[in-house]
Amino acid sequence: MGVGSQDAIKQFQAFIEQVEEPLRGTFQNVHQGHVTETLMRFLKARDWDPSKAYKMLVDCLNWRVQNEIDHILSKPIVPADLYRSVRDSQLIGLSGYSKEGLPVFAIGAGLSTFDKASVHYYVQSHIQINEYRDRIILPSASKKHKRTITTCIKVLDMTGLKLSALNQIKLLTIISSIDDLNYPEKTNTYYITNAPYIFSACWKVVKPLLQERTRRKIQVLPGCGRDELLNVMDYSSLPHFCKREGSGSSRHSETGSENCYSLDHPFHQELYNHIKQQARLREAVEPIKHGSFHVDFPEPPDDEVEIAKTIESELHKYENGNGV
């Protein structure tokens, strides 16, 4: 770490000392005992400008307080059948850990339909997975490996990516904005697998729009990426869609214990049971309202709006060019 970086952290720390309750309380859920690492994440997201990083963090803390994010892990999506529908249409799960101990999240970007529930349930589910990762998964990994682990790896499966993705751009932009503004720099590397031509066409025009630090994190792998990923993780931690010779994935081809998207997978069972347990504990103190957990959607940053418009434009070109 250079002298400039150290000075930026010191300035940022001085700013943070001015923060009072209730922001100070929710900040503890953000840093989980790793204050310096958290400040560095926000500094990286704002090009090491302490003033801009401080504003970003305070905005994040206010968003958390206003939307009761500290309590979101006590707000189960019920009934269970509804939650299963969310899991079947918002494909994400924890497949294992890298050789360095980083959690590996698998995402079925191409086959996620987001059509079984309202937008609010999908946003709620996404934030719950973020919070469970940050409060439970990462601290547990840090303890096991006896070193600070604050980031994860994401493996995206593009199998099934279609023009219908146009219908999902608004929701995906909301989720992306929530992550960028409130969970910055939490992903170490994005691995893209099973990329069809339609992805390649979009990637070609989107890549130049991304910030350099983001571009460096994204690796587009050939086919299912199995050989490349085995340099990073053991076979047991590979997402199910990377374990076969041929490319391709499915929501339902594996059993629940193998398919990390499934509600029957150990990760989702542990997550859902944790949320229900926290709900019971909180219900003993105050009644809990059921229904979706409504979160204020942030205004997407200008660069994300431009990226979304570019993807939409490219998909329309592809649609028109193929006479669809």
Side-chain angles (χ1 to χ4, degrees):
M1 190 188 300
V3 175
S5 301
Q6 292 175 343
D7 289 343
I9 291 172
K10 286 179 182 176
Q11 288 182 49
F12 199 179
Q13 285 175 328
F15 289 148
I16 288 300
E17 287 172 5
Q18 303 169 22
V19 170
E20 299 179 350
E21 296 295 348
L23 302 190
R24 186 175 290 275
T26 196
F27 184 46
Q28 291 180 344
N29 268 333
V30 174
H31 67 65
Q32 292 293 316
H34 304 296
V35 177
T36 301
E37 289 80 3
T38 301
L39 299 186
M40 285 177 65
R41 288 195 296 106
F42 281 84
L43 281 165
K44 284 179 185 176
R46 289 297 176 263
D47 297 321
W48 293 91
D49 184 317
S51 297
K52 290 180 179 178
Y54 174 66
K55 181 183 184 306
M56 182 187 189
L57 178 56
V58 169
D59 287 346
C60 163
L61 299 180
N62 277 313
W63 173 81
R64 293 181 65 87
V65 169
Q66 290 161 10
N67 292 283
E68 299 186 333
I69 301 300
D70 288 345
H71 297 306
I72 199 167
L73 288 180
S74 62
K75 302 275 189 178
I77 294 175
V78 290
D81 284 347
L82 173 60
Y83 188 57
R84 185 175 292 278
S85 295
V86 170
R87 291 278 54 83
D88 286 345
S89 52
Q90 182 183 37
L91 306 181
I92 182 172
L94 180 73
S95 67
Y97 294 82
S98 74
K99 293 176 182 178
E100 295 183 343
L102 276 65
V104 177
F105 284 90
I107 300 172
L111 289 172
S112 291
T113 55
F114 300 102
D115 60 352
K116 306 295 184 188
S118 73
V119 168
H120 292 285
Y121 281 118
Y122 289 115
V123 171
Q124 176 182 350
S125 169
H126 180 80
I127 296 174
Q128 285 177 331
I129 290 174
N130 279 357
E131 291 291 315
Y132 190 73
R133 174 197 65 199
D134 293 351
R135 297 193 222 173
I136 306 295
I137 299 291
L138 290 170
S140 175
S142 298
K143 186 176 180 181
K144 179 180 178 180
H145 292 273
K146 296 182 171 58
R147 68 182 186 85
T148 302
I149 296 175
T150 59
T151 60
C152 67
I153 288 170
K154 291 181 179 176
V155 184
L156 283 71
D157 178 21
M158 293 295 171
T159 299
L161 188 65
K162 298 175 183 174
L163 292 170
S164 56
L166 276 168
N167 302 326
Q168 302 161 15
I169 285 179
K170 184 176 180 182
L171 171 58
L172 294 174
T173 302
I174 290 169
I175 287 174
S176 178
S177 300
I178 286 172
D179 282 355
D180 288 350
L181 296 174
N182 301 291
Y183 303 92
E185 301 294 320
K186 294 299 293 187
T187 303
N188 184 282
T189 311
Y190 298 89
Y191 293 103
I192 310 295
T193 67
N194 299 319
Y197 173 78
I198 191 172
F199 169 81
S200 303
C202 290
W203 176 238
K204 194 179 295 184
V205 294
V206 167
K207 188 176 180 181
L209 301 177
L210 299 175
Q211 295 186 18
E212 178 59 29
R213 72 171 191 278
T214 303
R215 282 202 301 269
R216 285 199 301 265
K217 292 180 180 183
I218 300 172
Q219 296 189 32
V220 182
L221 304 180
C224 69
R226 185 177 68 171
D227 294 342
E228 291 77 12
L229 290 172
L230 285 173
N231 293 321
V232 181
M233 63 194 75
D234 293 331
Y235 183 83
S236 60
S237 289
L238 284 176
H240 58 280
F241 51 81
C242 296
K243 290 182 177 179
R244 294 188 296 278
E245 285 290 346
S247 65
S249 180
S250 169
R251 298 184 190 87
H252 308 296
S253 59
E254 290 79 12
T255 64
S257 61
E258 294 171 341
N259 182 345
C260 63
Y261 301 153
S262 170
L263 179 54
D264 299 319
H265 187 271
F267 166 70
H268 282 298
Q269 284 292 301
E270 290 166 13
L271 167 60
Y272 198 44
N273 288 335
H274 175 84
I275 293 172
K276 289 189 291 185
Q277 180 186 30
Q278 294 302 307
R280 285 192 292 271
L281 291 173
R282 193 155 175 244
E283 210 158 23
V285 179
E286 58 179 305
I288 293 179
K289 295 178 184 176
H290 291 294
S292 62
F293 188 85
H294 285 231
V295 172
D296 292 336
F297 300 153
E299 281 294 319
D302 291 341
D303 56 344
E304 289 201 9
V305 172
E306 185 179 1
I307 288 169
K309 286 181 178 176
T310 301
I311 292 173
E312 197 167 358
S313 171
E314 199 62 27
L315 288 172
H316 278 305
K317 283 184 198 172
Y318 184 84
E319 181 179 39
N320 295 332
N322 285 271
V324 179

